[in-house]
Amino acid sequence: MTTNVARLDNQRRPLTGQARRTSIRVAINTVDALMASGLHAMLRTTPGITIVSAEQQPEVTIAVADDSSLLDLLSTFTTSRLVLIADELRQAELWTAIEHGLVVLVPRAQAATRSRLLQAISDARGGRGDLPPELLGAVLRGLKQLHETTLGPRELTLSGLSLRETQIVRLLADGLDTAEIAEQLIYSERTVKNVLHNLLTRLDLHNRAHAVAYALRHGLI
């Protein structure tokens, strides 16, 4: 049995008029009762959208809050795909939103437009980020500051690996053993083993093959 729902693909098409077997599970999280009612009314009968609770593992969460409650609202949940409806974000609010899965930011005025909201859901589900230019600039400046003040002094990079870890894992992926890696990088074999041990422990990886798979999966090497 099939259900007529919206088609989503990488061409940023809105959720209308196409067929797909499963719908997108969307949770709505807001302290604004009027906004919540409007969002439910807009999405409840939309093909391709199923409104669920936060406990039902939504694929996309739509969050709305006024200025005084945004941080409190974000602290109540974690999602891998967050559509945030807001007009202005302070630096702390922006980073908290990113920590809670921010993918798309929609100005409140635009959220009243059905096509814009559906596009935001589509983009969030596909992992296609959409931030206003000024916020994107703030993110890039924040990442630079993070590297300078926190990661750099610990010899880490934004990838989560240090330069030395990246070199060693890349050589592991090329099939070299620890002795060969030590010779190529002019380290002691003990140093190579210690670096690998610390990497496996920090990232909760099982073995060297797992470390290589992790690095490949996350595009680190």
Side-chain angles (χ1 to χ4, degrees):
M1 178 177 180
T2 60
T3 303
N4 291 329
V5 296
R7 178 185 175 190
L8 296 177
D9 54 30
N10 292 328
Q11 298 179 8
R12 298 171 64 88
R13 295 177 180 171
L15 306 178
T16 56
Q18 299 293 337
R20 191 178 177 86
R21 290 183 180 177
T22 59
S23 60
I24 304 175
R25 299 187 308 279
V26 177
I28 297 172
N29 196 326
T30 173
V31 298
D32 186 331
L34 184 60
M35 177 68 81
S37 177
L39 291 172
H40 275 90
M42 185 185 300
L43 298 176
R44 187 169 47 241
T45 59
T46 300
I49 298 292
T50 299
I51 304 297
V52 299
S53 68
E55 292 74 28
Q56 293 177 292
Q57 298 182 328
E59 296 173 88
V60 174
T61 295
I62 300 174
V64 192
D66 57 34
D67 293 340
S68 62
S69 62
L70 180 55
L71 291 178
D72 290 339
L73 178 68
L74 293 175
S75 68
T76 63
F77 67 92
T78 299
T79 176
S80 60
R81 298 285 187 268
L82 172 63
V83 173
L84 180 61
I85 298 175
D87 287 324
E88 295 183 3
L89 295 181
R90 296 185 292 271
Q91 187 73 20
E93 294 171 335
L94 174 61
W95 285 108
T96 301
I98 291 172
E99 290 169 355
H100 287 79
L102 176 64
V103 181
V104 179
L105 178 68
V106 179
R108 290 179 71 99
Q110 294 182 19
T113 304
R114 184 174 180 273
S115 61
R116 177 65 182 96
L117 188 59
L118 296 181
Q119 185 63 67
I121 294 171
S122 172
D123 286 343
R125 192 219 202 184
R128 296 183 292 272
D130 185 0
L131 297 178
E134 63 274 14
L135 287 186
L136 181 58
V139 170
L140 295 177
R141 291 191 298 273
L143 290 176
K144 183 175 183 293
Q145 182 180 22
L146 176 64
H147 180 265
E148 292 174 347
T149 62
T150 304
L151 299 178
R154 293 170 173 77
E155 298 185 348
L156 293 174
T157 66
L158 290 171
S159 71
L161 304 182
S162 69
L163 177 59
R164 185 160 58 174
E165 289 170 342
T166 301
Q167 291 174 324
I168 290 174
V169 173
R170 184 176 290 121
L171 292 175
L172 278 177
D174 289 338
L176 278 65
D177 61 25
T178 53
E180 292 169 326
I181 293 173
E183 180 179 359
Q184 181 158 332
L185 297 179
I186 317 178
Y187 295 153
S188 70
E189 188 172 355
R190 183 178 183 84
T191 294
V192 173
K193 290 180 178 179
N194 285 340
V195 171
L196 285 171
H197 173 75
N198 292 336
L199 174 64
L200 296 177
T201 301
R202 188 177 78 249
L203 299 180
D204 194 25
L205 303 173
H206 302 306
N207 49 45
R208 297 172 187 176
H210 194 187
V212 170
Y214 175 92
L216 290 171
R217 185 166 60 248
H218 290 83
L220 304 181
I221 59 174

